[in-house]
Amino acid sequence: MKRKITDQLLKWKDSSERKPLVLQGARQIGKTYIVSHFAGISYKNSVYCNFEKEKSLASLFNNLSPKDIIANLSALKRQAVMPKETLLIFDEIQACPQALTSLKYFCEEANDYHVIAMGSLLGVSVNRGESSFPVGKVQILDMFPMDFEEYLWAKEEDFLVEKIKACYEKDSPLEEAMHEKALALYKEYLFIGGMPAVVSDFVKNKNAQLASILQSDILEAYLNDMGKYNKKSEISKTRLVYRNISTQLSKVNRKFQYKYIKSGGRAAEFEDAIEWVCLAGIAKRVFKLEQVKLPLQANSSDSDFKFYMSDTGLCCRVQDLLIEDILYDNPLMNDFKGGLTENYVCTQLITNGLNLFYWTSGNQAEVDFVSRIGQDIIPIEVKSSVHTQSKSLAVYASTYKTPYCIRISAKNFGFENGIKSIPLYAVFCIGEL
């Protein structure tokens, strides 16, 4: 399946300032597949090393000289490793700290050799002090589940993608029939999500029940990781936190609250568990802005945040939803619908490289997301339906000078009274890389 990250990999390959590349992202989002595919179309050959499955490979990195490492890998794998023509793939590199350290020397002494390293739990390993990271000697690239544009590509809806992009640029409505079709596909994506194995199976078999089984397998793998790569004292807490993220999305006040994890819960008790799921790439915190000033990060709270899962399909699976609940707007899930929609918008914007925050004005107003888009700080309001009545954007606009506001909803494209209206299916256009 076509992935946007391929273009970034090609830019890395052709860069005159290329360094070893570290590809980060959650487990089972397609890192190994996309790098192997990239190697097949861009190099004469590739040498694949999985440090989690091939424990003996670690012995080849006791000597950190790239020349010796290459010679040993060539002999072991029975493949020639050639400058610029061979791609060295180091998978699950967090399992071999020496291999991670070797990237520094590949950068300094053997930069003609192309190296891509990957690690599903690399963030956990490095931040927990299990590995030292070669700061400044590697390029880091983040990978995410498939966004809605990539989902449409998988569904062979390339023409629809181009129509959506054209309407976004012109603020002109999409033809009504196409608008309804795009909304239906968006609802389908909410349930299926962007995990490549799930998308591939659903496109092939069109069976939502099979998709749910695959999602359950992925969730089980995540829970197993929490047991294998965590302190014993943190395992149960990490699992509780992860399962609780989607539950709190159904609350009117979506600020994450520890008391909903367990009665009397406190930040100190769960902060390591929260850090773990974020470092593993399976959840994302969005912090509250204390003041709308640059830099936004420096003016945000370090304790007030909203929490989102990395994939809406997994979010639905945790809550045991059926695809019919989403497609036909089951009224019994009205409380959850708004939070799920916010989760979707969050994942799409993060994939486009936007740094997200939210804003409140006491009990008067709350803007779901605030981000710097280009040179401007833009408020973004999210609505799950065509009903867009809200005073929050008006309160924000009267408080801060903003060139325009964004409202995401089921309504068609438009621009009126300083508000850019963007349909839910077009979020992938905002701040597009």
Side-chain angles (χ1 to χ4, degrees), residues 165-373:
K165 288 184 174 181
C167 291
Y168 174 84
E169 291 298 328
K170 297 176 183 177
D171 294 317
S172 60
L174 185 63
E175 291 86 345
E176 190 60 29
M178 298 188 75
H179 174 71
E180 294 299 328
K181 178 181 179 179
L183 282 175
L185 287 166
Y186 151 74
K187 289 182 178 181
E188 183 180 274
Y189 173 84
L190 277 186
F191 182 83
I192 299 301
M195 303 305 284
V198 179
V199 173
S200 178
D201 185 84
F202 184 73
V203 169
K204 179 182 177 182
N205 298 310
K206 300 178 176 60
N207 188 319
Q209 287 183 319
L210 289 177
S212 293
I213 293 171
L214 290 171
Q215 289 168 338
S216 294
D217 291 343
I218 293 170
L219 287 171
E220 188 64 30
Y222 285 177
L223 294 176
N224 287 339
D225 281 344
M226 293 172 197
K228 288 169 60 180
Y229 303 99
N230 209 346
K231 304 172 187 174
K232 285 186 178 180
S233 61
E234 294 297 315
I235 294 172
S236 61
K237 288 187 280 188
T238 306
R239 290 172 175 169
L240 273 174
V241 163
Y242 184 64
R243 289 187 177 279
N244 196 255
I245 295 172
S246 59
T247 299
Q248 294 208 28
L249 290 177
S250 64
K251 307 297 182 185
V252 175
N253 177 8
R254 295 196 183 99
K255 173 189 168 184
F256 194 77
Q257 299 183 62
Y258 300 97
K259 66 181 181 181
Y260 292 128
I261 304 177
K262 79 168 195 178
S263 179
R266 295 287 184 270
E269 182 180 2
F270 292 104
E271 60 185 359
D272 285 348
I274 288 172
E275 179 192 50
W276 196 99
V277 297
C278 292
L279 292 173
I282 60 177
K284 174 69 177 178
R285 284 187 289 183
V286 173
F287 291 92
K288 185 177 79 170
L289 280 177
E290 302 284 10
Q291 300 182 77
V292 182
K293 294 181 179 179
L294 292 175
L296 295 178
Q297 188 69 50
N299 286 285
S300 64
S301 167
D302 58 2
S303 57
D304 296 331
F305 62 91
K306 297 192 288 187
F307 220 175
Y308 301 100
M309 291 179 66
S310 61
D311 181 72
T312 58
L314 298 182
C315 192
C316 290
R317 182 85 293 271
V318 170
Q319 293 299 320
D320 291 324
L321 294 179
L322 302 176
I323 194 169
E324 291 81 9
D325 296 328
I326 306 295
L327 296 181
Y328 305 118
D329 294 320
N330 187 335
L332 295 178
M333 61 163 282
N334 281 348
D335 290 344
F336 183 65
K337 185 179 178 183
L340 181 64
T341 306
E342 271 189 38
N343 201 126
Y344 157 78
V345 171
C346 178
T347 60
Q348 305 302 293
L349 296 178
I350 288 172
T351 299
N352 276 356
L354 296 183
N355 198 11
L356 301 178
F357 304 87
Y358 75 98
W359 174 85
T360 66
S361 177
N363 295 321
Q364 282 188 304
E366 178 174 324
V367 173
D368 300 307
F369 300 110
V370 176
S371 185
R372 192 171 190 186
I373 302 176

Side-chain angles (χ1 to χ4, degrees), residues 14-280:
D14 296 335
S15 173
S16 60
E17 300 178 354
R18 187 196 62 262
K19 300 175 182 178
L21 179 68
V22 174
L23 185 61
Q24 296 186 137
R27 194 180 292 280
Q28 301 195 43
I29 59 169
K31 296 188 299 297
T32 302
Y33 170 84
I34 202 66
V35 170
S36 298
H37 174 72
F38 170 67
I41 63 175
S42 304
Y43 292 87
K44 285 190 175 180
N45 71 319
S46 61
V47 173
Y48 178 78
C49 304
N50 189 311
F51 295 100
E52 203 170 60
K53 294 180 178 178
E54 304 170 86
K55 302 292 186 183
S56 61
L57 286 173
S59 64
L60 304 185
F61 291 81
N62 291 331
N63 179 347
L64 293 175
S65 164
K67 180 179 178 181
D68 292 338
I69 291 170
I70 291 166
N72 289 331
L73 282 176
S74 296
L76 181 67
K77 297 287 186 176
R78 296 184 180 180
Q79 291 190 69
V81 179
M82 299 166 286
K84 300 181 181 179
E85 297 181 354
T86 301
L87 180 62
L88 287 171
I89 304 172
F90 294 167
D91 205 353
E92 302 298 354
I93 196 169
Q94 77 279 350
C96 182
Q98 307 99 300
L100 186 60
T101 302
S102 77
L103 299 181
K104 171 185 176 182
Y105 300 99
F106 272 98
C107 176
E108 294 176 345
E109 302 172 15
N111 209 28
D112 279 349
Y113 289 91
H114 293 203
V115 185
I116 295 182
M118 299 172 285
S120 300
L121 296 167
L122 183 57
V124 174
S125 177
V126 170
N127 282 273
R128 294 290 171 90
E130 297 165 14
S131 304
S132 59
F133 197 81
V135 178
K137 303 299 180 180
V138 297
Q139 179 181 337
I140 301 172
L141 191 57
D142 291 318
M143 186 172 174
F144 304 94
M146 297 171 71
D147 72 357
F148 185 56
E149 182 179 11
E150 291 171 321
Y151 184 77
L152 291 178
W153 289 341
K155 300 274 289 188
E156 299 183 345
E157 294 286 355
D158 300 59
F159 178 75
L160 181 58
V161 168
E162 294 310 311
K163 290 288 291 183
I164 290 171
K165 288 184 174 181
C167 291
Y168 174 84
E169 291 298 328
K170 297 176 183 177
D171 294 317
S172 60
L174 185 63
E175 291 86 345
E176 190 60 29
M178 298 188 75
H179 174 71
E180 294 299 328
K181 178 181 179 179
L183 282 175
L185 287 166
Y186 151 74
K187 289 182 178 181
E188 183 180 274
Y189 173 84
L190 277 186
F191 182 83
I192 299 301
M195 303 305 284
V198 179
V199 173
S200 178
D201 185 84
F202 184 73
V203 169
K204 179 182 177 182
N205 298 310
K206 300 178 176 60
N207 188 319
Q209 287 183 319
L210 289 177
S212 293
I213 293 171
L214 290 171
Q215 289 168 338
S216 294
D217 291 343
I218 293 170
L219 287 171
E220 188 64 30
Y222 285 177
L223 294 176
N224 287 339
D225 281 344
M226 293 172 197
K228 288 169 60 180
Y229 303 99
N230 209 346
K231 304 172 187 174
K232 285 186 178 180
S233 61
E234 294 297 315
I235 294 172
S236 61
K237 288 187 280 188
T238 306
R239 290 172 175 169
L240 273 174
V241 163
Y242 184 64
R243 289 187 177 279
N244 196 255
I245 295 172
S246 59
T247 299
Q248 294 208 28
L249 290 177
S250 64
K251 307 297 182 185
V252 175
N253 177 8
R254 295 196 183 99
K255 173 189 168 184
F256 194 77
Q257 299 183 62
Y258 300 97
K259 66 181 181 181
Y260 292 128
I261 304 177
K262 79 168 195 178
S263 179
R266 295 287 184 270
E269 182 180 2
F270 292 104
E271 60 185 359
D272 285 348
I274 288 172
E275 179 192 50
W276 196 99
V277 297
C278 292
L279 292 173

